[in-house]
mmCIF file with all atom_site columns, all heavy atoms in Angstrom:
data_model
loop_
_atom_site.group_PDB
_atom_site.id
_atom_site.type_symbol
_atom_site.label_atom_id
_atom_site.label_alt_id
_atom_site.label_comp_id
_atom_site.label_asym_id
_atom_site.label_entity_id
_atom_site.label_seq_id
_atom_site.pdbx_PDB_ins_code
_atom_site.Cartn_x
_atom_site.Cartn_y
_atom_site.Cartn_z
_atom_site.occupancy
_atom_site.B_iso_or_equiv
_atom_site.pdbx_formal_charge
_atom_site.auth_seq_id
_atom_site.auth_comp_id
_atom_site.auth_asym_id
_atom_site.auth_atom_id
_atom_site.pdbx_PDB_model_num
ATOM 1   N N   . GLU A 1 28 ? -19.569 0.797   12.944 1.00 0.00 ? 28 GLU A N   1
ATOM 2   C CA  . GLU A 1 28 ? -20.120 1.347   11.664 1.00 0.00 ? 28 GLU A CA  1
ATOM 3   C C   . GLU A 1 28 ? -20.045 0.283   10.604 1.00 0.00 ? 28 GLU A C   1
ATOM 4   O O   . GLU A 1 28 ? -20.286 0.626   9.450  1.00 0.00 ? 28 GLU A O   1
ATOM 5   C CB  . GLU A 1 28 ? -19.247 2.571   11.281 1.00 0.00 ? 28 GLU A CB  1
ATOM 6   C CG  . GLU A 1 28 ? -19.350 3.659   12.309 1.00 0.00 ? 28 GLU A CG  1
ATOM 7   C CD  . GLU A 1 28 ? -18.644 4.948   11.893 1.00 0.00 ? 28 GLU A CD  1
ATOM 8   O OE1 . GLU A 1 28 ? -17.830 4.876   10.965 1.00 0.00 ? 28 GLU A OE1 1
ATOM 9   O OE2 . GLU A 1 28 ? -18.854 5.956   12.500 1.00 0.00 ? 28 GLU A OE2 1
ATOM 10  N N   . GLY A 1 29 ? -19.794 -0.961  10.933 1.00 0.00 ? 29 GLY A N   1
ATOM 11  C CA  . GLY A 1 29 ? -19.871 -1.992  9.976  1.00 0.00 ? 29 GLY A CA  1
ATOM 12  C C   . GLY A 1 29 ? -18.597 -2.206  9.195  1.00 0.00 ? 29 GLY A C   1
ATOM 13  O O   . GLY A 1 29 ? -18.548 -3.058  8.295  1.00 0.00 ? 29 GLY A O   1
ATOM 14  N N   . ASP A 1 30 ? -17.506 -1.499  9.512  1.00 0.00 ? 30 ASP A N   1
ATOM 15  C CA  . ASP A 1 30 ? -16.210 -1.739  8.929  1.00 0.00 ? 30 ASP A CA  1
ATOM 16  C C   . ASP A 1 30 ? -15.540 -2.956  9.490  1.00 0.00 ? 30 ASP A C   1
ATOM 17  O O   . ASP A 1 30 ? -15.600 -3.173  10.691 1.00 0.00 ? 30 ASP A O   1
ATOM 18  C CB  . ASP A 1 30 ? -15.309 -0.515  9.121  1.00 0.00 ? 30 ASP A CB  1
ATOM 19  C CG  . ASP A 1 30 ? -15.859 0.707   8.345  1.00 0.00 ? 30 ASP A CG  1
ATOM 20  O OD1 . ASP A 1 30 ? -16.496 0.535   7.299  1.00 0.00 ? 30 ASP A OD1 1
ATOM 21  O OD2 . ASP A 1 30 ? -15.633 1.862   8.847  1.00 0.00 ? 30 ASP A OD2 1
ATOM 22  N N   . THR A 1 31 ? -14.779 -3.665  8.649  1.00 0.00 ? 31 THR A N   1
ATOM 23  C CA  . THR A 1 31 ? -13.913 -4.666  9.173  1.00 0.00 ? 31 THR A CA  1
ATOM 24  C C   . THR A 1 31 ? -12.508 -4.436  8.737  1.00 0.00 ? 31 THR A C   1
ATOM 25  O O   . THR A 1 31 ? -12.301 -4.145  7.515  1.00 0.00 ? 31 THR A O   1
ATOM 26  C CB  . THR A 1 31 ? -14.355 -6.055  8.467  1.00 0.00 ? 31 THR A CB  1
ATOM 27  O OG1 . THR A 1 31 ? -15.738 -6.273  8.830  1.00 0.00 ? 31 THR A OG1 1
ATOM 28  C CG2 . THR A 1 31 ? -13.537 -7.179  9.151  1.00 0.00 ? 31 THR A CG2 1
ATOM 29  N N   . LYS A 1 32 ? -11.578 -4.386  9.606  1.00 0.00 ? 32 LYS A N   1
ATOM 30  C CA  . LYS A 1 32 ? -10.222 -4.222  9.325  1.00 0.00 ? 32 LYS A CA  1
ATOM 31  C C   . LYS A 1 32 ? -9.476  -5.500  9.562  1.00 0.00 ? 32 LYS A C   1
ATOM 32  O O   . LYS A 1 32 ? -9.688  -6.130  10.678 1.00 0.00 ? 32 LYS A O   1
ATOM 33  C CB  . LYS A 1 32 ? -9.563  -3.115  10.105 1.00 0.00 ? 32 LYS A CB  1
ATOM 34  C CG  . LYS A 1 32 ? -10.144 -1.707  9.748  1.00 0.00 ? 32 LYS A CG  1
ATOM 35  C CD  . LYS A 1 32 ? -9.370  -0.655  10.527 1.00 0.00 ? 32 LYS A CD  1
ATOM 36  C CE  . LYS A 1 32 ? -9.959  0.742   10.132 1.00 0.00 ? 32 LYS A CE  1
ATOM 37  N NZ  . LYS A 1 32 ? -11.295 0.968   10.566 1.00 0.00 ? 32 LYS A NZ  1
ATOM 38  N N   . VAL A 1 33 ? -8.679  -6.010  8.682  1.00 0.00 ? 33 VAL A N   1
ATOM 39  C CA  . VAL A 1 33 ? -7.859  -7.167  8.849  1.00 0.00 ? 33 VAL A CA  1
ATOM 40  C C   . VAL A 1 33 ? -6.385  -6.678  8.975  1.00 0.00 ? 33 VAL A C   1
ATOM 41  O O   . VAL A 1 33 ? -5.912  -6.078  8.045  1.00 0.00 ? 33 VAL A O   1
ATOM 42  C CB  . VAL A 1 33 ? -8.058  -8.192  7.726  1.00 0.00 ? 33 VAL A CB  1
ATOM 43  C CG1 . VAL A 1 33 ? -7.184  -9.376  7.935  1.00 0.00 ? 33 VAL A CG1 1
ATOM 44  C CG2 . VAL A 1 33 ? -9.522  -8.507  7.613  1.00 0.00 ? 33 VAL A CG2 1
ATOM 45  N N   . VAL A 1 34 ? -5.738  -7.033  10.058 1.00 0.00 ? 34 VAL A N   1
ATOM 46  C CA  . VAL A 1 34 ? -4.340  -6.681  10.298 1.00 0.00 ? 34 VAL A CA  1
ATOM 47  C C   . VAL A 1 34 ? -3.495  -7.974  10.277 1.00 0.00 ? 34 VAL A C   1
ATOM 48  O O   . VAL A 1 34 ? -3.647  -8.812  11.124 1.00 0.00 ? 34 VAL A O   1
ATOM 49  C CB  . VAL A 1 34 ? -4.165  -5.970  11.602 1.00 0.00 ? 34 VAL A CB  1
ATOM 50  C CG1 . VAL A 1 34 ? -2.729  -5.544  11.796 1.00 0.00 ? 34 VAL A CG1 1
ATOM 51  C CG2 . VAL A 1 34 ? -5.048  -4.721  11.671 1.00 0.00 ? 34 VAL A CG2 1
ATOM 52  N N   . ASP A 1 35 ? -2.633  -8.076  9.305  1.00 0.00 ? 35 ASP A N   1
ATOM 53  C CA  . ASP A 1 35 ? -1.730  -9.231  9.165  1.00 0.00 ? 35 ASP A CA  1
ATOM 54  C C   . ASP A 1 35 ? -0.356  -8.827  9.750  1.00 0.00 ? 35 ASP A C   1
ATOM 55  O O   . ASP A 1 35 ? 0.192   -7.822  9.326  1.00 0.00 ? 35 ASP A O   1
ATOM 56  C CB  . ASP A 1 35 ? -1.555  -9.664  7.740  1.00 0.00 ? 35 ASP A CB  1
ATOM 57  C CG  . ASP A 1 35 ? -2.744  -10.365 7.171  1.00 0.00 ? 35 ASP A CG  1
ATOM 58  O OD1 . ASP A 1 35 ? -3.154  -11.317 7.852  1.00 0.00 ? 35 ASP A OD1 1
ATOM 59  O OD2 . ASP A 1 35 ? -3.216  -10.001 6.126  1.00 0.00 ? 35 ASP A OD2 1
ATOM 60  N N   . CYS A 1 36 ? 0.184   -9.621  10.674 1.00 0.00 ? 36 CYS A N   1
ATOM 61  C CA  . CYS A 1 36 ? 1.486   -9.343  11.212 1.00 0.00 ? 36 CYS A CA  1
ATOM 62  C C   . CYS A 1 36 ? 2.566   -10.184 10.625 1.00 0.00 ? 36 CYS A C   1
ATOM 63  O O   . CYS A 1 36 ? 2.324   -11.414 10.314 1.00 0.00 ? 36 CYS A O   1
ATOM 64  C CB  . CYS A 1 36 ? 1.462   -9.562  12.761 1.00 0.00 ? 36 CYS A CB  1
ATOM 65  S SG  . CYS A 1 36 ? 0.241   -8.474  13.574 1.00 0.00 ? 36 CYS A SG  1
ATOM 66  N N   . ASP A 1 37 ? 3.745   -9.601  10.429 1.00 0.00 ? 37 ASP A N   1
ATOM 67  C CA  . ASP A 1 37 ? 4.819   -10.369 9.706  1.00 0.00 ? 37 ASP A CA  1
ATOM 68  C C   . ASP A 1 37 ? 5.552   -11.262 10.720 1.00 0.00 ? 37 ASP A C   1
ATOM 69  O O   . ASP A 1 37 ? 6.087   -12.243 10.301 1.00 0.00 ? 37 ASP A O   1
ATOM 70  C CB  . ASP A 1 37 ? 5.817   -9.338  9.127  1.00 0.00 ? 37 ASP A CB  1
ATOM 71  C CG  . ASP A 1 37 ? 5.175   -8.471  8.110  1.00 0.00 ? 37 ASP A CG  1
ATOM 72  O OD1 . ASP A 1 37 ? 4.270   -8.979  7.400  1.00 0.00 ? 37 ASP A OD1 1
ATOM 73  O OD2 . ASP A 1 37 ? 5.535   -7.281  7.977  1.00 0.00 ? 37 ASP A OD2 1
ATOM 74  N N   . ASP A 1 38 ? 5.653   -10.898 11.967 1.00 0.00 ? 38 ASP A N   1
ATOM 75  C CA  . ASP A 1 38 ? 6.417   -11.720 12.875 1.00 0.00 ? 38 ASP A CA  1
ATOM 76  C C   . ASP A 1 38 ? 5.764   -11.652 14.264 1.00 0.00 ? 38 ASP A C   1
ATOM 77  O O   . ASP A 1 38 ? 4.843   -10.902 14.512 1.00 0.00 ? 38 ASP A O   1
ATOM 78  C CB  . ASP A 1 38 ? 7.853   -11.218 12.904 1.00 0.00 ? 38 ASP A CB  1
ATOM 79  C CG  . ASP A 1 38 ? 7.947   -9.713  13.257 1.00 0.00 ? 38 ASP A CG  1
ATOM 80  O OD1 . ASP A 1 38 ? 7.287   -9.199  14.034 1.00 0.00 ? 38 ASP A OD1 1
ATOM 81  O OD2 . ASP A 1 38 ? 8.838   -9.111  12.528 1.00 0.00 ? 38 ASP A OD2 1
ATOM 82  N N   . ALA A 1 39 ? 6.328   -12.413 15.228 1.00 0.00 ? 39 ALA A N   1
ATOM 83  C CA  . ALA A 1 39 ? 5.735   -12.561 16.536 1.00 0.00 ? 39 ALA A CA  1
ATOM 84  C C   . ALA A 1 39 ? 5.828   -11.205 17.332 1.00 0.00 ? 39 ALA A C   1
ATOM 85  O O   . ALA A 1 39 ? 4.906   -10.832 18.013 1.00 0.00 ? 39 ALA A O   1
ATOM 86  C CB  . ALA A 1 39 ? 6.538   -13.602 17.337 1.00 0.00 ? 39 ALA A CB  1
ATOM 87  N N   . GLU A 1 40 ? 6.939   -10.475 17.076 1.00 0.00 ? 40 GLU A N   1
ATOM 88  C CA  . GLU A 1 40 ? 7.079   -9.205  17.807 1.00 0.00 ? 40 GLU A CA  1
ATOM 89  C C   . GLU A 1 40 ? 5.971   -8.185  17.389 1.00 0.00 ? 40 GLU A C   1
ATOM 90  O O   . GLU A 1 40 ? 5.425   -7.557  18.212 1.00 0.00 ? 40 GLU A O   1
ATOM 91  C CB  . GLU A 1 40 ? 8.495   -8.611  17.407 1.00 0.00 ? 40 GLU A CB  1
ATOM 92  C CG  . GLU A 1 40 ? 8.762   -7.394  18.355 1.00 0.00 ? 40 GLU A CG  1
ATOM 93  C CD  . GLU A 1 40 ? 10.160  -6.767  17.990 1.00 0.00 ? 40 GLU A CD  1
ATOM 94  O OE1 . GLU A 1 40 ? 10.828  -7.269  17.086 1.00 0.00 ? 40 GLU A OE1 1
ATOM 95  O OE2 . GLU A 1 40 ? 10.405  -5.708  18.601 1.00 0.00 ? 40 GLU A OE2 1
ATOM 96  N N   . GLN A 1 41 ? 5.731   -8.159  16.067 1.00 0.00 ? 41 GLN A N   1
ATOM 97  C CA  . GLN A 1 41 ? 4.675   -7.170  15.585 1.00 0.00 ? 41 GLN A CA  1
ATOM 98  C C   . GLN A 1 41 ? 3.333   -7.678  16.109 1.00 0.00 ? 41 GLN A C   1
ATOM 99  O O   . GLN A 1 41 ? 2.491   -6.843  16.503 1.00 0.00 ? 41 GLN A O   1
ATOM 100 C CB  . GLN A 1 41 ? 4.712   -7.188  14.036 1.00 0.00 ? 41 GLN A CB  1
ATOM 101 C CG  . GLN A 1 41 ? 3.744   -6.144  13.492 1.00 0.00 ? 41 GLN A CG  1
ATOM 102 C CD  . GLN A 1 41 ? 3.676   -6.163  11.956 1.00 0.00 ? 41 GLN A CD  1
ATOM 103 O OE1 . GLN A 1 41 ? 4.247   -7.032  11.321 1.00 0.00 ? 41 GLN A OE1 1
ATOM 104 N NE2 . GLN A 1 41 ? 2.970   -5.210  11.424 1.00 0.00 ? 41 GLN A NE2 1
ATOM 105 N N   . PHE A 1 42 ? 3.112   -8.972  16.122 1.00 0.00 ? 42 PHE A N   1
ATOM 106 C CA  . PHE A 1 42 ? 1.890   -9.511  16.611 1.00 0.00 ? 42 PHE A CA  1
ATOM 107 C C   . PHE A 1 42 ? 1.559   -9.138  18.072 1.00 0.00 ? 42 PHE A C   1
ATOM 108 O O   . PHE A 1 42 ? 0.591   -8.646  18.510 1.00 0.00 ? 42 PHE A O   1
ATOM 109 C CB  . PHE A 1 42 ? 1.911   -11.068 16.516 1.00 0.00 ? 42 PHE A CB  1
ATOM 110 C CG  . PHE A 1 42 ? 0.710   -11.707 17.091 1.00 0.00 ? 42 PHE A CG  1
ATOM 111 C CD1 . PHE A 1 42 ? -0.482  -11.830 16.350 1.00 0.00 ? 42 PHE A CD1 1
ATOM 112 C CD2 . PHE A 1 42 ? 0.757   -12.287 18.395 1.00 0.00 ? 42 PHE A CD2 1
ATOM 113 C CE1 . PHE A 1 42 ? -1.574  -12.468 16.932 1.00 0.00 ? 42 PHE A CE1 1
ATOM 114 C CE2 . PHE A 1 42 ? -0.334  -12.924 18.952 1.00 0.00 ? 42 PHE A CE2 1
ATOM 115 C CZ  . PHE A 1 42 ? -1.484  -12.981 18.251 1.00 0.00 ? 42 PHE A CZ  1
ATOM 116 N N   . MET A 1 43 ? 2.637   -9.262  18.886 1.00 0.00 ? 43 MET A N   1
ATOM 117 C CA  . MET A 1 43 ? 2.571   -8.830  20.302 1.00 0.00 ? 43 MET A CA  1
ATOM 118 C C   . MET A 1 43 ? 2.280   -7.417  20.471 1.00 0.00 ? 43 MET A C   1
ATOM 119 O O   . MET A 1 43 ? 1.453   -6.957  21.312 1.00 0.00 ? 43 MET A O   1
ATOM 120 C CB  . MET A 1 43 ? 3.806   -9.242  21.051 1.00 0.00 ? 43 MET A CB  1
ATOM 121 C CG  . MET A 1 43 ? 4.016   -10.755 21.201 1.00 0.00 ? 43 MET A CG  1
ATOM 122 S SD  . MET A 1 43 ? 2.590   -11.704 21.750 1.00 0.00 ? 43 MET A SD  1
ATOM 123 C CE  . MET A 1 43 ? 2.429   -11.076 23.478 1.00 0.00 ? 43 MET A CE  1
ATOM 124 N N   . ASN A 1 44 ? 2.877   -6.575  19.623 1.00 0.00 ? 44 ASN A N   1
ATOM 125 C CA  . ASN A 1 44 ? 2.585   -5.073  19.690 1.00 0.00 ? 44 ASN A CA  1
ATOM 126 C C   . ASN A 1 44 ? 1.231   -4.779  19.332 1.00 0.00 ? 44 ASN A C   1
ATOM 127 O O   . ASN A 1 44 ? 0.579   -4.003  19.991 1.00 0.00 ? 44 ASN A O   1
ATOM 128 C CB  . ASN A 1 44 ? 3.615   -4.390  18.741 1.00 0.00 ? 44 ASN A CB  1
ATOM 129 C CG  . ASN A 1 44 ? 5.028   -4.446  19.252 1.00 0.00 ? 44 ASN A CG  1
ATOM 130 O OD1 . ASN A 1 44 ? 5.294   -4.656  20.385 1.00 0.00 ? 44 ASN A OD1 1
ATOM 131 N ND2 . ASN A 1 44 ? 5.920   -4.187  18.309 1.00 0.00 ? 44 ASN A ND2 1
ATOM 132 N N   . VAL A 1 45 ? 0.740   -5.390  18.223 1.00 0.00 ? 45 VAL A N   1
ATOM 133 C CA  . VAL A 1 45 ? -0.719  -5.182  17.906 1.00 0.00 ? 45 VAL A CA  1
ATOM 134 C C   . VAL A 1 45 ? -1.619  -5.636  18.923 1.00 0.00 ? 45 VAL A C   1
ATOM 135 O O   . VAL A 1 45 ? -2.653  -4.994  19.244 1.00 0.00 ? 45 VAL A O   1
ATOM 136 C CB  . VAL A 1 45 ? -0.992  -5.755  16.436 1.00 0.00 ? 45 VAL A CB  1
ATOM 137 C CG1 . VAL A 1 45 ? -2.493  -5.570  16.132 1.00 0.00 ? 45 VAL A CG1 1
ATOM 138 C CG2 . VAL A 1 45 ? -0.146  -5.129  15.445 1.00 0.00 ? 45 VAL A CG2 1
ATOM 139 N N   . LEU A 1 46 ? -1.325  -6.827  19.488 1.00 0.00 ? 46 LEU A N   1
ATOM 140 C CA  . LEU A 1 46 ? -2.185  -7.412  20.484 1.00 0.00 ? 46 LEU A CA  1
ATOM 141 C C   . LEU A 1 46 ? -2.300  -6.427  21.692 1.00 0.00 ? 46 LEU A C   1
ATOM 142 O O   . LEU A 1 46 ? -3.401  -6.242  22.226 1.00 0.00 ? 46 LEU A O   1
ATOM 143 C CB  . LEU A 1 46 ? -1.615  -8.728  20.964 1.00 0.00 ? 46 LEU A CB  1
ATOM 144 C CG  . LEU A 1 46 ? -2.435  -9.540  21.991 1.00 0.00 ? 46 LEU A CG  1
ATOM 145 C CD1 . LEU A 1 46 ? -3.793  -9.846  21.491 1.00 0.00 ? 46 LEU A CD1 1
ATOM 146 C CD2 . LEU A 1 46 ? -1.746  -10.809 22.382 1.00 0.00 ? 46 LEU A CD2 1
#
Side-chain angles (χ1 to χ4, degrees):
E28 297 184 347
D30 293 328
T31 305
K32 293 185 177 68
V33 180
V34 180
D35 286 308
C36 298
D37 298 326
D38 53 41
E40 188 183 359
Q41 187 184 6
F42 175 81
M43 293 309 291
N44 290 341
V45 175
L46 183 60

